[in-house]
Amino acid sequence: MADIRVFTQSSIRIACAEGVIYLDPFRMDAEPHDADLVLITHNHYDHFSPEDIERVRRADTVFVVPAKLGAQAREVLGEAVEIHTVVPGEHYKVAGVDFDTVASYNIGKAFHPKSAGWVGYVLTADGQRIYVAGDTDDTPEAEAVSCDVALVPIGGTYTTDAREAAGLINAIAPKLAIPTHYGSIVGRMGDADDFAAAVKPGIKVEVQIR
């Protein structure tokens, strides 16, 4: 079973048979330099953080970024780095990892417009489908995801709040839900308890940000 660790905000590390995968590394305390693959959901500073990417990358780390972030990523990461660009709603295999991209956007607020092409990812790791939603609201695309594990934002303002995120989880019914994107820049630590209380019995909730 994949080992999933959530750090600050939506900074996630997945260790699995396919390798060590980071998503949106941010405010990393350590410098492990162990990333086989780094996936970025969008261009905001708490998701695309060059200084934190430097803490996890190796010389041969492979990167995946949304298409509209491609030129900026190339400038920041270097011309010699392997960078793959993606768009929502497609299937990819990069560095031995299969994943689908899911549109990640806001409804009724302008922080993450659908036109930007930002993404969440559904990774296949150790036979599990792991959905990392990125900064999103409860959208039709999110509710169409089929997964075993879902990591969803709960802090509100820029994303779903705890109640809305629980509604998304109840709709897609993963075996395990892990809340993200609260307790630092936006949202309070207590949001995790509100989220867990609103998730249906039978879906395990694992709170990692305390």
Side-chain angles (χ1 to χ4, degrees):
M1 180 178 292
D3 179 57
I4 302 170
R5 293 286 180 266
V6 182
F7 305 110
T8 301
Q9 199 71 339
S10 296
S11 178
I12 297 160
R13 179 184 187 270
I14 301 172
C16 55
E18 289 78 7
V20 175
I21 304 164
Y22 284 86
L23 297 103
D24 295 352
F26 179 62
R27 292 185 180 170
M28 299 295 297
D29 291 330
E31 297 189 20
H33 299 292
D34 60 349
D36 295 297
L37 181 64
V38 174
L39 299 101
I40 302 298
T41 62
H42 65 291
N43 71 342
H44 291 168
Y45 76 94
D46 54 328
H47 296 265
F48 181 59
S49 170
E51 63 192 69
D52 292 290
I53 288 171
E54 288 300 322
R55 294 184 173 107
V56 304
R57 73 185 290 188
R58 302 189 309 250
D60 61 346
T61 298
V62 177
F63 293 87
V64 174
V65 303
K68 289 190 177 180
L69 184 53
Q72 183 184 355
R74 175 65 63 194
E75 181 179 351
V76 168
L77 300 174
E79 291 297 326
V81 176
E82 184 177 344
I83 301 174
H84 298 259
T85 58
V86 297
V87 296
E90 299 292 339
H91 177 80
Y92 299 88
K93 185 168 187 174
V94 175
V97 179
D98 282 291
F99 60 89
D100 300 315
T101 51
V102 181
S104 182
Y105 61 94
N106 291 137
I107 297 172
K109 46 188 184 261
F111 302 112
H112 307 91
K114 189 174 184 178
S115 60
W118 305 140
V119 297
Y121 297 94
V122 183
L123 310 167
T124 300
D126 285 347
Q128 296 176 297
R129 284 176 57 83
I130 302 172
Y131 176 37
V132 178
D135 279 12
T136 192
D137 284 332
D138 184 354
T139 67
E141 293 90 341
E143 290 206 0
V145 167
S146 173
C147 63
D148 301 294
V149 181
L151 296 98
V152 293
I154 68 166
T157 304
Y158 307 107
T159 70
T160 47
D161 61 22
R163 178 186 55 79
E164 293 162 342
L168 171 58
I169 290 299
N170 292 338
I172 65 177
K175 296 174 184 175
L176 173 64
I178 304 175
T180 67
H181 209 273
Y182 68 97
S184 56
I185 293 170
V186 68
R188 56 189 180 84
M189 287 297 181
D191 289 337
D193 296 323
D194 295 342
F195 169 75
V199 169
K200 290 179 180 177
I203 301 174
K204 180 181 178 183
V205 175
E206 181 178 299
V207 176
Q208 294 199 17
I209 300 175
R210 291 288 191 185

